Amino acid sequence: MSAPVLEARNLSISFGGVRAVDGVSFIARRNRITTIIGPNGAGKSTLFNLISGALRPHLGSVFVEGIEHTGAPPYRMLAAGVARSFQITNLFFELPVVENLRLAAQVLELQGKALMPIAASGIAHTRVAELLARFGLADKAEFSVAQLSHGEQRRLEVAVALACRPKVLMLDEPTQGMSHGDTGETAALIKSLADEVTVLLIEHDIGLVMSLSDHVIVMHQGRKLAEGTPAAVRANPAVQTAYFGHS
Ligand SMILES: Nc1ncnc2c1ncn2[C@@H]1O[C@H](COP(=O)(O)OP(=O)(O)OP(=O)(O)O)[C@@H](O)[C@H]1O
Ligand SMILES: [Mg+2]
């Protein structure tokens, strides 16, 4: 079994009386795709917020490669190697595709070079070229984000999150609102990313979950209801009742 890269222990947060995430523990292993599923309002995005530093847990802890980072703000989590894309598109719409990627790749440059002109940033430049090719955006490099299709925007968002070579890539419903064709392409892309990064995914499309995931975690009403291989989780009677709506 590959090494734990990310570990959540007993993560909990309440909003008013609602226990949005309630004692959730799990491990994401290196170069595996771990997928979180569950009905609307189950606490999936909130769990992501607790891990990525957008929210501070009331209880519990977060470890990256065995080092505790509980409650660290997002920029520190990014420095620790945890990058995320958002459920709601989070790009600079008026800027060209290539600039969005350059800004994100800039952290790869040595500290002292960070204020030099962008043209002097060789490492970032190489990374941007790599990502443009890999994400099928090379011919759209100079387009503004606003000119891209929805599917292309969502793909760019994944590329932006990946630009700084994170250890863990967190994707919150990356195929949401995509056409069938775009969904298939994006799924293949995510599958291929697992070679270089540990993926933590939130996904509603159960077909995708089954074909993409190495490990599935099921959330229900803030709690972890079950976890295991895609097949084991799907066959679990408690999961069938809570998530698939039948028993
Ligand atoms: N900032 C907040 N303030 C108050 N309540 C919140 C906040 N964020 C989330 N919640 C509540 O926490 C619960 C979990 O929400 P969350 O967005 O994590 O669910 P989700 O599993 O991501 O759902 P979806 O599949 O619809 O994206 C919901 O009851 C939601 O209303
Ligand atoms: Mg959500």
Side-chain angles (χ1 to χ4, degrees):
M1 206 168 254
S2 61
V5 175
L6 182 78
E7 182 176 359
R9 276 191 213 156
N10 196 32
L11 282 180
S12 307
I13 194 169
S14 303
F15 300 114
V18 180
R19 291 183 173 183
V21 174
D22 190 5
V24 173
S25 302
F26 73 90
I27 286 172
R29 294 187 183 278
R30 190 179 310 284
N31 299 108
R32 301 289 167 86
I33 299 178
T34 300
T35 307
I36 298 167
I37 66 170
N40 293 121
K44 305 178 298 294
S45 295
T46 305
L47 179 63
F48 263 33
N49 287 335
L50 293 175
I51 293 168
S52 66
L55 287 172
R56 184 183 277 270
H58 295 164
L59 260 182
S61 31
V62 176
F63 297 83
V64 182
E65 292 185 326
I67 297 169
E68 185 165 0
H69 290 281
T70 311
Y75 74 93
R76 281 197 187 276
M77 288 312 290
L78 196 59
V82 179
R84 74 175 291 188
S85 78
F86 287 83
Q87 192 170 0
I88 295 170
T89 300
N90 188 42
L91 296 164
F92 296 106
F93 270 68
E94 70 287 2
L95 290 182
V97 169
V98 67
E99 289 307 325
N100 274 267
L101 287 168
R102 269 182 196 159
L103 287 167
Q106 207 57 29
V107 298
L108 294 174
E109 297 296 337
L110 294 173
Q111 207 78 48
K113 284 179 74 183
L115 296 178
M116 289 176 70
I118 273 172
S121 306
I123 300 170
H125 186 80
T126 306
R127 182 64 173 154
V128 168
E130 242 171 61
L131 289 165
L132 283 171
R134 184 158 195 182
F135 284 76
L137 292 166
D139 57 343
K140 304 271 170 84
E142 301 301 333
F143 284 42
S144 74
V145 174
Q147 291 172 289
L148 300 181
S149 72
H150 178 75
E152 288 166 339
Q153 288 173 357
R154 302 293 331 242
R155 227 160 54 222
L156 175 60
E157 205 175 335
V158 177
V160 162
L162 206 58
C164 63
R165 295 193 190 280
K167 292 171 186 156
V168 181
L169 178 66
M170 303 173 70
L171 303 173
D172 193 344
E173 299 192 33
T175 67
Q176 194 186 42
M178 279 188 182
S179 68
H180 189 70
D182 277 345
T183 297
E185 267 179 42
T186 303
L189 199 60
I190 292 169
K191 190 96 185 160
S192 77
L193 295 180
D195 290 342
E196 64 174 273
V197 71
T198 299
V199 178
L200 192 60
L201 180 69
I202 296 174
E203 181 56 60
H204 269 295
D205 181 327
I206 203 65
L208 274 191
V209 172
M210 292 293 142
S211 65
L212 272 181
S213 315
D214 297 300
H215 190 74
V216 179
I217 293 162
V218 188
M219 286 189 70
H220 183 54
Q221 296 177 350
R223 291 170 177 258
K224 185 173 78 178
L225 180 69
E227 68 178 314
T229 61
V233 155
R234 190 168 206 173
N236 182 318
V239 175
Q240 299 232 344
T241 308
Y243 190 49
F244 299 112
H246 55 87
S247 53

